[in-house]
Amino acid sequence: MKKKILFACIVFLLMAAFVLIPAPASNLYIRIYFDEIQGDSCALYYAVDGDEAFSQEQCVSSVIDYDKQMVEFVLEPSLEGRITGLRLDFPAEPQLLCVKTITVSNAGVIKREYNPCDFFAGENILYSNDIDAISLVTARARTYVKTFSDDPFMLLSGELCQQLMGCYSHFRLTKLAVCVFLSASFFLAKMKIWRD
């Protein structure tokens, strides 16, 4: 009996360690979906701790996918906890673009989905350049952005940046689900409910 209790304690400790020790994070995907957009690509510049400047070395560019009407920015796991600022650049041409939704995914799971009226709300935009107007159409859950041709971009707030960075995952829930499944399978096998 003592051996069984000791074995159960060891298994429990191993499972707890498996769940609590963080696995390396996977890539973070930020996808912006449009109803209307023109141009070739968008860019996402990021500032990191120790280097607050936006530069070409700290930039993720995304070609506009016109089949899906979206752009996708991929941030590497090494950037987790380091990004302090984000700047979203639109195509350098005059247009009225319409944002439909924004999703943030990690490990194949959508962690957050933003209504564009919330994402582009005044408190989330610190500064905009070469943007004539931002119209939040809450009734349709769409945001219209009128841009000029030089260098249209938006600087996102620190709070919004932290929300986005908080979407990195270390698979704790997935590992917990695996442990619960294995434990349940073991106990059901011991109970012999499938046998006569």
Side-chain angles (χ1 to χ4, degrees), residues 133-154:
I134 301 172
S135 298
L136 309 176
V137 185
T138 54
R140 294 190 60 235
R142 298 290 188 271
T143 293
Y144 291 87
V145 181
K146 187 176 182 183
T147 66
F148 294 126
S149 60
D150 291 337
D151 188 18
F153 68 81
M154 294 180 184

PDB file of all heavy atoms in Angstrom, residues 133-154:
ATOM      1  N   ALA A 133      -7.756  60.767 -41.562  1.00  0.00           N
ATOM      2  CA  ALA A 133      -8.889  60.535 -40.669  1.00  0.00           C
ATOM      3  C   ALA A 133      -8.992  59.062 -40.317  1.00  0.00           C
ATOM      4  O   ALA A 133      -8.612  58.185 -41.093  1.00  0.00           O
ATOM      5  CB  ALA A 133     -10.188  60.995 -41.336  1.00  0.00           C
ATOM      6  N   ILE A 134      -9.507  58.823 -39.096  1.00  0.00           N
ATOM      7  CA  ILE A 134      -9.832  57.468 -38.641  1.00  0.00           C
ATOM      8  C   ILE A 134     -11.298  57.488 -38.220  1.00  0.00           C
ATOM      9  O   ILE A 134     -11.670  58.236 -37.313  1.00  0.00           O
ATOM     10  CB  ILE A 134      -8.948  57.037 -37.453  1.00  0.00           C
ATOM     11  CG1 ILE A 134      -7.465  57.071 -37.830  1.00  0.00           C
ATOM     12  CG2 ILE A 134      -9.338  55.635 -36.982  1.00  0.00           C
ATOM     13  CD1 ILE A 134      -6.530  56.855 -36.655  1.00  0.00           C
ATOM     14  N   SER A 135     -12.129  56.699 -38.898  1.00  0.00           N
ATOM     15  CA  SER A 135     -13.562  56.658 -38.595  1.00  0.00           C
ATOM     16  C   SER A 135     -13.923  55.310 -38.001  1.00  0.00           C
ATOM     17  O   SER A 135     -13.737  54.265 -38.641  1.00  0.00           O
ATOM     18  CB  SER A 135     -14.391  56.896 -39.859  1.00  0.00           C
ATOM     19  OG  SER A 135     -14.118  58.175 -40.397  1.00  0.00           O
ATOM     20  N   LEU A 136     -14.437  55.318 -36.757  1.00  0.00           N
ATOM     21  CA  LEU A 136     -14.851  54.100 -36.083  1.00  0.00           C
ATOM     22  C   LEU A 136     -16.357  53.923 -36.276  1.00  0.00           C
ATOM     23  O   LEU A 136     -17.155  54.654 -35.691  1.00  0.00           O
ATOM     24  CB  LEU A 136     -14.524  54.186 -34.590  1.00  0.00           C
ATOM     25  CG  LEU A 136     -13.085  54.580 -34.233  1.00  0.00           C
ATOM     26  CD1 LEU A 136     -12.928  54.731 -32.727  1.00  0.00           C
ATOM     27  CD2 LEU A 136     -12.085  53.570 -34.782  1.00  0.00           C
ATOM     28  N   VAL A 137     -16.736  52.976 -37.112  1.00  0.00           N
ATOM     29  CA  VAL A 137     -18.153  52.741 -37.403  1.00  0.00           C
ATOM     30  C   VAL A 137     -18.616  51.579 -36.524  1.00  0.00           C
ATOM     31  O   VAL A 137     -18.581  50.410 -36.941  1.00  0.00           O
ATOM     32  CB  VAL A 137     -18.372  52.447 -38.895  1.00  0.00           C
ATOM     33  CG1 VAL A 137     -19.865  52.320 -39.205  1.00  0.00           C
ATOM     34  CG2 VAL A 137     -17.745  53.531 -39.758  1.00  0.00           C
ATOM     35  N   THR A 138     -19.022  51.903 -35.318  1.00  0.00           N
ATOM     36  CA  THR A 138     -19.365  50.864 -34.344  1.00  0.00           C
ATOM     37  C   THR A 138     -20.571  50.028 -34.770  1.00  0.00           C
ATOM     38  O   THR A 138     -20.647  48.840 -34.444  1.00  0.00           O
ATOM     39  CB  THR A 138     -19.632  51.503 -32.967  1.00  0.00           C
ATOM     40  OG1 THR A 138     -20.620  52.523 -33.111  1.00  0.00           O
ATOM     41  CG2 THR A 138     -18.365  52.119 -32.399  1.00  0.00           C
ATOM     42  N   ALA A 139     -21.506  50.614 -35.480  1.00  0.00           N
ATOM     43  CA  ALA A 139     -22.703  49.882 -35.910  1.00  0.00           C
ATOM     44  C   ALA A 139     -22.354  48.717 -36.837  1.00  0.00           C
ATOM     45  O   ALA A 139     -23.022  47.688 -36.836  1.00  0.00           O
ATOM     46  CB  ALA A 139     -23.680  50.825 -36.604  1.00  0.00           C
ATOM     47  N   ARG A 140     -21.282  48.879 -37.618  1.00  0.00           N
ATOM     48  CA  ARG A 140     -20.850  47.829 -38.546  1.00  0.00           C
ATOM     49  C   ARG A 140     -19.594  47.101 -38.060  1.00  0.00           C
ATOM     50  O   ARG A 140     -19.113  46.180 -38.719  1.00  0.00           O
ATOM     51  CB  ARG A 140     -20.571  48.424 -39.936  1.00  0.00           C
ATOM     52  CG  ARG A 140     -21.807  48.965 -40.630  1.00  0.00           C
ATOM     53  CD  ARG A 140     -21.503  49.316 -42.073  1.00  0.00           C
ATOM     54  NE  ARG A 140     -21.036  48.168 -42.837  1.00  0.00           N
ATOM     55  CZ  ARG A 140     -19.889  48.130 -43.521  1.00  0.00           C
ATOM     56  NH1 ARG A 140     -19.086  49.172 -43.539  1.00  0.00           N
ATOM     57  NH2 ARG A 140     -19.548  47.048 -44.188  1.00  0.00           N
ATOM     58  N   ALA A 141     -19.050  47.529 -36.921  1.00  0.00           N
ATOM     59  CA  ALA A 141     -17.810  46.954 -36.393  1.00  0.00           C
ATOM     60  C   ALA A 141     -16.695  47.033 -37.442  1.00  0.00           C
ATOM     61  O   ALA A 141     -16.010  46.048 -37.729  1.00  0.00           O
ATOM     62  CB  ALA A 141     -18.019  45.519 -35.935  1.00  0.00           C
ATOM     63  N   ARG A 142     -16.544  48.214 -38.012  1.00  0.00           N
ATOM     64  CA  ARG A 142     -15.500  48.464 -39.007  1.00  0.00           C
ATOM     65  C   ARG A 142     -14.788  49.768 -38.668  1.00  0.00           C
ATOM     66  O   ARG A 142     -15.366  50.682 -38.078  1.00  0.00           O
ATOM     67  CB  ARG A 142     -16.080  48.575 -40.421  1.00  0.00           C
ATOM     68  CG  ARG A 142     -16.785  47.337 -40.941  1.00  0.00           C
ATOM     69  CD  ARG A 142     -15.807  46.213 -41.226  1.00  0.00           C
ATOM     70  NE  ARG A 142     -16.429  45.101 -41.901  1.00  0.00           N
ATOM     71  CZ  ARG A 142     -17.019  44.077 -41.303  1.00  0.00           C
ATOM     72  NH1 ARG A 142     -17.096  44.036 -39.971  1.00  0.00           N
ATOM     73  NH2 ARG A 142     -17.544  43.080 -41.998  1.00  0.00           N
ATOM     74  N   THR A 143     -13.520  49.847 -39.073  1.00  0.00           N
ATOM     75  CA  THR A 143     -12.747  51.080 -38.937  1.00  0.00           C
ATOM     76  C   THR A 143     -12.244  51.482 -40.312  1.00  0.00           C
ATOM     77  O   THR A 143     -11.641  50.668 -41.023  1.00  0.00           O
ATOM     78  CB  THR A 143     -11.565  50.897 -37.969  1.00  0.00           C
ATOM     79  OG1 THR A 143     -12.079  50.678 -36.659  1.00  0.00           O
ATOM     80  CG2 THR A 143     -10.682  52.132 -37.947  1.00  0.00           C
ATOM     81  N   TYR A 144     -12.509  52.730 -40.685  1.00  0.00           N
ATOM     82  CA  TYR A 144     -12.026  53.270 -41.955  1.00  0.00           C
ATOM     83  C   TYR A 144     -10.854  54.200 -41.670  1.00  0.00           C
ATOM     84  O   TYR A 144     -10.907  55.027 -40.755  1.00  0.00           O
ATOM     85  CB  TYR A 144     -13.147  54.038 -42.669  1.00  0.00           C
ATOM     86  CG  TYR A 144     -14.256  53.137 -43.169  1.00  0.00           C
ATOM     87  CD1 TYR A 144     -15.314  52.790 -42.332  1.00  0.00           C
ATOM     88  CD2 TYR A 144     -14.239  52.632 -44.466  1.00  0.00           C
ATOM     89  CE1 TYR A 144     -16.325  51.955 -42.776  1.00  0.00           C
ATOM     90  CE2 TYR A 144     -15.245  51.799 -44.920  1.00  0.00           C
ATOM     91  CZ  TYR A 144     -16.287  51.464 -44.071  1.00  0.00           C
ATOM     92  OH  TYR A 144     -17.291  50.628 -44.530  1.00  0.00           O
ATOM     93  N   VAL A 145      -9.801  54.039 -42.466  1.00  0.00           N
ATOM     94  CA  VAL A 145      -8.597  54.856 -42.304  1.00  0.00           C
ATOM     95  C   VAL A 145      -8.275  55.508 -43.641  1.00  0.00           C
ATOM     96  O   VAL A 145      -8.053  54.812 -44.639  1.00  0.00           O
ATOM     97  CB  VAL A 145      -7.395  54.007 -41.831  1.00  0.00           C
ATOM     98  CG1 VAL A 145      -6.156  54.882 -41.646  1.00  0.00           C
ATOM     99  CG2 VAL A 145      -7.731  53.255 -40.542  1.00  0.00           C
ATOM    100  N   LYS A 146      -8.251  56.836 -43.658  1.00  0.00           N
ATOM    101  CA  LYS A 146      -7.909  57.564 -44.881  1.00  0.00           C
ATOM    102  C   LYS A 146      -6.440  57.965 -44.793  1.00  0.00           C
ATOM    103  O   LYS A 146      -6.038  58.713 -43.901  1.00  0.00           O
ATOM    104  CB  LYS A 146      -8.792  58.804 -45.028  1.00  0.00           C
ATOM    105  CG  LYS A 146      -8.615  59.508 -46.364  1.00  0.00           C
ATOM    106  CD  LYS A 146      -9.579  60.678 -46.508  1.00  0.00           C
ATOM    107  CE  LYS A 146      -9.403  61.342 -47.876  1.00  0.00           C
ATOM    108  NZ  LYS A 146     -10.295  62.526 -48.007  1.00  0.00           N
ATOM    109  N   THR A 147      -5.648  57.454 -45.734  1.00  0.00           N
ATOM    110  CA  THR A 147      -4.204  57.672 -45.687  1.00  0.00           C
ATOM    111  C   THR A 147      -3.728  58.559 -46.837  1.00  0.00           C
ATOM    112  O   THR A 147      -4.367  58.641 -47.893  1.00  0.00           O
ATOM    113  CB  THR A 147      -3.442  56.334 -45.763  1.00  0.00           C
ATOM    114  OG1 THR A 147      -3.657  55.734 -47.053  1.00  0.00           O
ATOM    115  CG2 THR A 147      -3.909  55.372 -44.683  1.00  0.00           C
ATOM    116  N   PHE A 148      -2.582  59.202 -46.591  1.00  0.00           N
ATOM    117  CA  PHE A 148      -1.874  59.932 -47.648  1.00  0.00           C
ATOM    118  C   PHE A 148      -0.795  59.027 -48.231  1.00  0.00           C
ATOM    119  O   PHE A 148      -0.634  57.875 -47.808  1.00  0.00           O
ATOM    120  CB  PHE A 148      -1.270  61.225 -47.096  1.00  0.00           C
ATOM    121  CG  PHE A 148      -2.302  62.226 -46.647  1.00  0.00           C
ATOM    122  CD1 PHE A 148      -2.261  62.768 -45.363  1.00  0.00           C
ATOM    123  CD2 PHE A 148      -3.312  62.632 -47.491  1.00  0.00           C
ATOM    124  CE1 PHE A 148      -3.207  63.686 -44.951  1.00  0.00           C
ATOM    125  CE2 PHE A 148      -4.265  63.558 -47.089  1.00  0.00           C
ATOM    126  CZ  PHE A 148      -4.215  64.087 -45.811  1.00  0.00           C
ATOM    127  N   SER A 149      -0.035  59.563 -49.178  1.00  0.00           N
ATOM    128  CA  SER A 149       0.878  58.700 -49.943  1.00  0.00           C
ATOM    129  C   SER A 149       2.296  58.625 -49.395  1.00  0.00           C
ATOM    130  O   SER A 149       3.080  57.807 -49.857  1.00  0.00           O
ATOM    131  CB  SER A 149       0.948  59.193 -51.398  1.00  0.00           C
ATOM    132  OG  SER A 149       1.422  60.528 -51.438  1.00  0.00           O
ATOM    133  N   ASP A 150       2.657  59.460 -48.436  1.00  0.00           N
ATOM    134  CA  ASP A 150       4.067  59.498 -48.034  1.00  0.00           C
ATOM    135  C   ASP A 150       4.446  58.354 -47.090  1.00  0.00           C
ATOM    136  O   ASP A 150       5.142  57.423 -47.486  1.00  0.00           O
ATOM    137  CB  ASP A 150       4.401  60.847 -47.386  1.00  0.00           C
ATOM    138  CG  ASP A 150       4.371  61.982 -48.407  1.00  0.00           C
ATOM    139  OD1 ASP A 150       4.527  61.682 -49.606  1.00  0.00           O
ATOM    140  OD2 ASP A 150       4.176  63.135 -48.006  1.00  0.00           O
ATOM    141  N   ASP A 151       3.999  58.430 -45.858  1.00  0.00           N
ATOM    142  CA  ASP A 151       4.423  57.438 -44.867  1.00  0.00           C
ATOM    143  C   ASP A 151       3.324  57.253 -43.809  1.00  0.00           C
ATOM    144  O   ASP A 151       3.496  57.662 -42.658  1.00  0.00           O
ATOM    145  CB  ASP A 151       5.736  57.906 -44.207  1.00  0.00           C
ATOM    146  CG  ASP A 151       6.334  56.846 -43.306  1.00  0.00           C
ATOM    147  OD1 ASP A 151       5.961  55.661 -43.446  1.00  0.00           O
ATOM    148  OD2 ASP A 151       7.162  57.206 -42.441  1.00  0.00           O
ATOM    149  N   PRO A 152       2.211  56.625 -44.182  1.00  0.00           N
ATOM    150  CA  PRO A 152       1.121  56.477 -43.212  1.00  0.00           C
ATOM    151  C   PRO A 152       1.417  55.389 -42.176  1.00  0.00           C
ATOM    152  O   PRO A 152       1.675  54.239 -42.530  1.00  0.00           O
ATOM    153  CB  PRO A 152      -0.079  56.104 -44.083  1.00  0.00           C
ATOM    154  CG  PRO A 152       0.510  55.455 -45.289  1.00  0.00           C
ATOM    155  CD  PRO A 152       1.855  56.071 -45.491  1.00  0.00           C
ATOM    156  N   PHE A 153       1.389  55.765 -40.908  1.00  0.00           N
ATOM    157  CA  PHE A 153       1.574  54.778 -39.858  1.00  0.00           C
ATOM    158  C   PHE A 153       0.886  55.221 -38.580  1.00  0.00           C
ATOM    159  O   PHE A 153       0.535  56.384 -38.402  1.00  0.00           O
ATOM    160  CB  PHE A 153       3.060  54.493 -39.594  1.00  0.00           C
ATOM    161  CG  PHE A 153       3.835  55.630 -38.981  1.00  0.00           C
ATOM    162  CD1 PHE A 153       3.783  55.883 -37.610  1.00  0.00           C
ATOM    163  CD2 PHE A 153       4.652  56.436 -39.771  1.00  0.00           C
ATOM    164  CE1 PHE A 153       4.519  56.915 -37.041  1.00  0.00           C
ATOM    165  CE2 PHE A 153       5.383  57.463 -39.210  1.00  0.00           C
ATOM    166  CZ  PHE A 153       5.317  57.703 -37.837  1.00  0.00           C
ATOM    167  N   MET A 154       0.699  54.231 -37.678  1.00  0.00           N
ATOM    168  CA  MET A 154       0.125  54.481 -36.350  1.00  0.00           C
ATOM    169  C   MET A 154       1.056  53.897 -35.299  1.00  0.00           C
ATOM    170  O   MET A 154       1.537  52.767 -35.450  1.00  0.00           O
ATOM    171  CB  MET A 154      -1.240  53.808 -36.212  1.00  0.00           C
ATOM    172  CG  MET A 154      -2.324  54.360 -37.089  1.00  0.00           C
ATOM    173  SD  MET A 154      -3.851  53.423 -36.784  1.00  0.00           S
ATOM    174  CE  MET A 154      -4.931  54.180 -37.995  1.00  0.00           C
TER     175      MET A 154
END
